[in-house]
Amino acid sequence: MAAVGAETRATFGAWDYGVFAFMLLVSTGIGLWVGLARGGQRSAEDFFTGGRRLAALPVGLSLAASFMSAVQVLGVPAEAYRYGLKFLWMCLGQLLNSLLTAAFYLPVFYRLGLTSTYQYLELRFSRVVRLCGTLQYLVATVLYTGIVIYAPALILNQVTGLDIWASLLSTGVICTFYTTVGGMKAVIWTDVFQVVVMLAGFWVVLARGTMIVGGPRQVLELARNHSRINLMDFDLDPRSRYTFWTFMVGGTLVWLSMYGVNQAQVQRYVACRTEKQAKLALLINQLGLFLIVSSAAGCGIVMFTLYMDCDPLLKGRISAPDQYMPLLVLDIFEDLPGVPGLFLACAYSGTLSTASTSINAMAAVTVEDLIKPRLPNLSPRRLIIISKGLSLIYGSACLTVAALSSLLGGGVLQGSFTVMGVLSGPLLGAFTLGMFLPACNTWGVLSGIAAGLAISLWVAVGATLYPPSAQSMGVLPSSATGCEELSANASGLLGPLLAINASSGASRMDPGRPTLADSFYAISYLYYGALGTLSTILCGALVSFLTGPTKRSSLSPGLLWCDLKQQTASVTPKEEAATLDDSLIKGVEELPPRAKRPPDFLPTDDDRLLFVRQKEVGK
């Protein structure tokens, strides 16, 4: 097929910027209206969890939007373009993650009524473990969010000339503003709008691109003839970037670390009215993720059929794979002003949803883990002021990191995945040890986190210094034979070779290249989190048994998953069961007066009696 688009660099027009500005205006309006309705927030509980009265549908869509940032909006189509439709196996990993989260992790957090995930680590282990997890989360999230804000601005600037600082300030300031004013309710309802915008952007590109190629049948035929329909890839080689097993094992654990124990997501679970609503929200989230990932992967396949004879990367029209998507939008919609602006809104909707989620979650963690324990007598009004101030501070911090990300050059996308992959895996291991291994102690979990961080950081740094070859990763071939002429950046027959060499970094024959570079360092990035999780669990279990395992009787009820399993399995009468269930799943403010506890409560002997009685009823 002939090359799509012209040689001159396309840019966004007035109509495109108008559509983009409209999206920002609507997001701000929704955030302010929802956040300030009914008198706004009366307490920190309202600000961080919406008063624990939110329904499943908006929470589920917000969950789907939280990690679908512009990095994924621009990156998933590019990955499908280069590696084929097997990227859809990511949806299976997400489904397994949702089922595991609903069955094992969500019930523990919900029934304890926690606002901060890391409160659990103090209840189960010690305050040192809690602070370790809190600081690790804050550093990772500030870095990740800053990079997420900067990456799309850089990519769109390189392709379209969109001013970097204008896009940074417009998205960063607006997001910080409505998150600071509206709290969790504003974040969730703007996320709902932004999911709709993301899907609309993808579907418009899919429809237009399919029409240009000649219909869905033609798209599938061309993709099949060029090995892009490759779902049946069951290669066990961990160095292959994407296979069925990569997504089943590595992908599932990566998503589990993000959805099972991540503060940004757990904060949404506990915002639901009931535990049943929280689990329903997870299923709605799964549907949203499937629509977003499949739509993005479909765009990548359509994009390949349009560029299969004249790859823009080989021709020199773009300098990195992440620039494929914005270039395609400008090429196929050059005669339809305003439509490229919809895709611009699509990309930045992902950025807004991720940034607002992170800002609110970081403020919640700081209040619950660092401020309340030291100043327990703060009035609700002061806590609200502090919470809003923290949201403003963290928003400014993320903007600062975004500005400093310009020093990273073109490595911002890889940097964002590295930050989250290295840090989230060991934390998943720590929570898993706490919930499923009663013998695990403080020394064990701290040693496990240290080991998990060391190993995942080791392989991530090694892969950055010695990138794997395109052949070992499984990059599918592309062509520039249909181009009229190659640019100076990729001229003659050296174009494809240069592209492969660029992705592989150093030659395998480089005498300074270590032996691990083509084995351990070359494993798929989806396994980084899995390495951290498994290392944390194994090391934590071993050290715990060597230093004296924790006695099961010394643990308060509700901290282990097996406690909740026994409680759920009880056969109390319907009315009594409903009463017990309601008292367990409600937030601290909703419990009966004699059952009220401060936010950092440690279950007492009365709690232990509750579980004992439930076991007796079930006998």
Side-chain angles (χ1 to χ4, degrees):
M1 180 167 292
V4 177
E7 287 298 318
T8 57
R9 176 159 129 166
T11 58
F12 289 113
W15 282 100
D16 303 316
Y17 287 115
V19 172
F20 177 49
F22 179 73
M23 183 276 294
L24 293 177
L25 184 63
V26 172
S27 294
T28 305
I30 292 175
L32 292 179
W33 181 75
V34 172
L36 298 178
R38 299 180 182 176
Q41 299 87 29
R42 298 180 179 85
S43 67
E45 175 95 350
D46 279 341
F47 188 79
F48 292 130
T49 65
R52 304 182 192 268
R53 295 185 299 271
L54 298 175
L57 180 60
V59 172
L61 293 177
S62 179
L63 287 170
S66 296
F67 285 104
M68 285 293 115
S69 68
V71 171
Q72 283 76 36
V73 170
L74 299 173
V76 172
E79 296 295 282
Y81 180 104
R82 302 181 73 209
Y83 297 95
L85 207 56
K86 59 185 175 182
F87 197 88
L88 285 178
W89 286 122
M90 174 69 81
C91 297
L92 180 59
Q94 292 168 339
L95 175 61
L96 291 175
N97 149 69
S98 296
L99 295 175
L100 291 172
T101 298
F104 299 111
Y105 296 93
L106 185 153
V108 175
F109 290 123
Y110 194 93
R111 299 183 196 193
L112 287 173
L114 306 178
T115 298
S116 167
T117 313
Y118 306 102
Q119 288 174 268
Y120 174 84
L121 294 179
E122 180 175 3
L123 294 173
R124 176 62 178 84
F125 297 110
S126 67
R127 180 152 185 82
V128 174
V129 181
R130 176 180 182 174
L131 290 177
C132 178
T134 299
L135 295 176
Q136 188 172 321
Y137 171 78
L138 290 175
V139 171
T141 306
V142 168
L143 293 175
Y144 176 78
T145 306
I147 293 172
V148 161
I149 293 173
Y150 177 73
L154 172 66
I155 292 167
L156 291 167
N157 170 264
Q158 292 172 339
V159 178
T160 69
L162 179 68
D163 185 78
I164 288 182
W165 299 108
S167 58
L168 282 181
L169 291 175
S170 61
T171 54
V173 170
I174 287 174
C175 174
T176 301
F177 175 66
Y178 74 69
T179 304
T180 300
V181 174
M184 174 58 76
K185 288 182 181 178
V187 171
I188 284 181
W189 282 104
T190 50
D191 281 354
V192 172
F193 168 69
Q194 288 151 12
V195 165
V196 173
V197 173
M198 274 193 280
L199 288 174
F202 281 134
W203 290 345
V204 168
V205 173
L206 270 174
R208 177 71 170 176
T210 302
M211 288 173 58
I212 294 175
V213 174
R217 181 175 297 179
Q218 181 71 359
V219 169
L220 291 175
E221 185 66 26
L222 291 172
R224 184 181 297 108
N225 292 340
H226 291 81
S227 303
R228 258 60 185 185
I229 309 297
N230 53 359
L231 290 170
M232 298 296 105
D233 185 351
F234 297 99
D235 188 1
L236 292 173
D237 188 349
R239 296 175 301 174
S240 295
R241 190 177 181 91
Y242 301 124
T243 67
F244 172 82
W245 301 111
T246 308
F247 288 117
M248 277 287 290
V249 180
T252 298
L253 288 178
V254 165
W255 284 102
L256 191 59
S257 67
M258 292 182 177
Y259 278 82
V261 300
N262 186 280
Q263 169 65 27
Q265 307 300 65
V266 173
Q267 196 173 332
R268 283 162 172 70
Y269 305 149
V270 299
C272 289
R273 296 169 184 165
T274 64
E275 183 180 328
K276 186 176 181 180
Q277 287 279 304
K279 292 181 177 180
L280 179 59
L282 261 177
L283 296 179
I284 295 172
N285 151 75
Q286 182 57 46
L287 176 61
L289 287 176
F290 174 77
L291 289 175
I292 293 172
V293 173
S294 59
S295 299
C299 286
I301 298 302
V302 170
M303 184 162 56
F304 171 76
T305 60
L306 289 166
Y307 289 136
M308 64 182 182
D309 293 327
C310 186
D311 190 310
L313 186 60
L314 299 184
K315 190 178 181 182
R317 294 183 67 194
I318 57 177
S319 58
D322 300 288
Q323 298 169 13
Y324 276 122
M325 193 67 172
L327 177 67
L328 172 73
V329 169
L330 291 175
D331 280 348
I332 66 176
F333 292 115
E334 58 183 349
D335 57 338
L336 295 174
V339 180
L342 179 61
F343 175 75
L344 182 63
C346 167
Y348 277 98
S349 288
T351 293
L352 286 176
S353 63
T354 300
S356 61
T357 294
S358 299
I359 291 169
N360 190 266
M362 288 188 290
V365 163
T366 304
V367 167
E368 296 293 331
D369 295 347
L370 303 179
I371 294 178
K372 276 188 176 181
R374 288 167 175 76
L375 301 171
N377 297 320
L378 282 175
S379 66
R381 181 177 178 82
R382 287 199 172 187
L383 277 176
I384 278 288
I385 295 173
I386 291 172
S387 302
K388 291 178 182 288
L390 286 169
S391 294
L392 185 60
I393 291 170
Y394 281 125
S396 303
C398 291
L399 271 177
T400 303
V401 172
L404 294 176
S405 295
S406 59
L407 303 176
L408 295 176
V412 289
L413 295 179
Q414 182 177 353
S416 67
F417 283 112
T418 300
V419 166
M420 291 304 290
V422 168
L423 294 172
S424 60
L427 284 178
L428 173 63
F431 282 101
T432 302
L433 283 171
M435 293 179 188
F436 299 98
L437 187 66
C440 186
N441 59 27
T442 297
W443 283 110
V445 73
L446 288 175
S447 302
I449 291 175
L453 273 174
I455 292 177
S456 56
L457 187 61
W458 174 27
V459 66
V461 171
T464 303
L465 296 176
Y466 305 101
S469 67
Q471 181 181 4
S472 68
M473 290 191 298
V475 178
L476 298 173
S478 54
S479 172
T481 57
C483 302
E484 294 179 1
E485 60 177 327
L486 294 174
S487 71
N489 292 332
S491 59
L493 297 176
L494 291 178
L497 182 59
L498 289 174
I500 292 176
N501 286 341
S503 66
S504 62
S507 169
R508 290 173 178 265
M509 301 304 294
D510 185 353
R513 189 173 172 86
T515 306
L516 291 176
D518 297 315
S519 53
F520 186 55
Y521 296 162
I523 66 172
S524 171
Y525 73 91
L526 289 176
Y527 286 123
Y528 293 174
L531 276 176
T533 300
L534 295 178
S535 301
T536 300
I537 292 173
L538 292 176
C539 181
L542 178 61
V543 172
S544 294
F545 282 108
L546 291 177
T547 57
T550 299
K551 294 182 179 179
R552 174 68 180 82
S553 59
S554 67
L555 296 178
S556 299
L559 298 178
L560 298 175
W561 179 77
C562 58
D563 290 341
L564 303 181
K565 183 180 179 183
Q566 292 166 357
Q567 179 255 326
T568 304
S570 64
V571 288
T572 53
K574 188 173 182 180
E575 293 79 11
E576 184 181 351
T579 303
L580 289 171
D581 186 64
D582 286 345
S583 66
L584 283 170
I585 65 176
K586 288 182 179 178
V588 176
E589 283 78 1
E590 299 179 52
L591 290 172
R594 75 182 180 87
K596 283 189 177 181
R597 300 167 177 82
D600 290 326
F601 76 92
L602 284 169
T604 63
D605 292 336
D606 292 338
D607 299 300
R608 190 170 283 106
L609 285 174
L610 171 64
F611 279 81
V612 170
R613 287 170 185 165
Q614 290 169 13
K615 292 177 188 176
E616 291 174 351
V617 172
K619 289 181 179 179

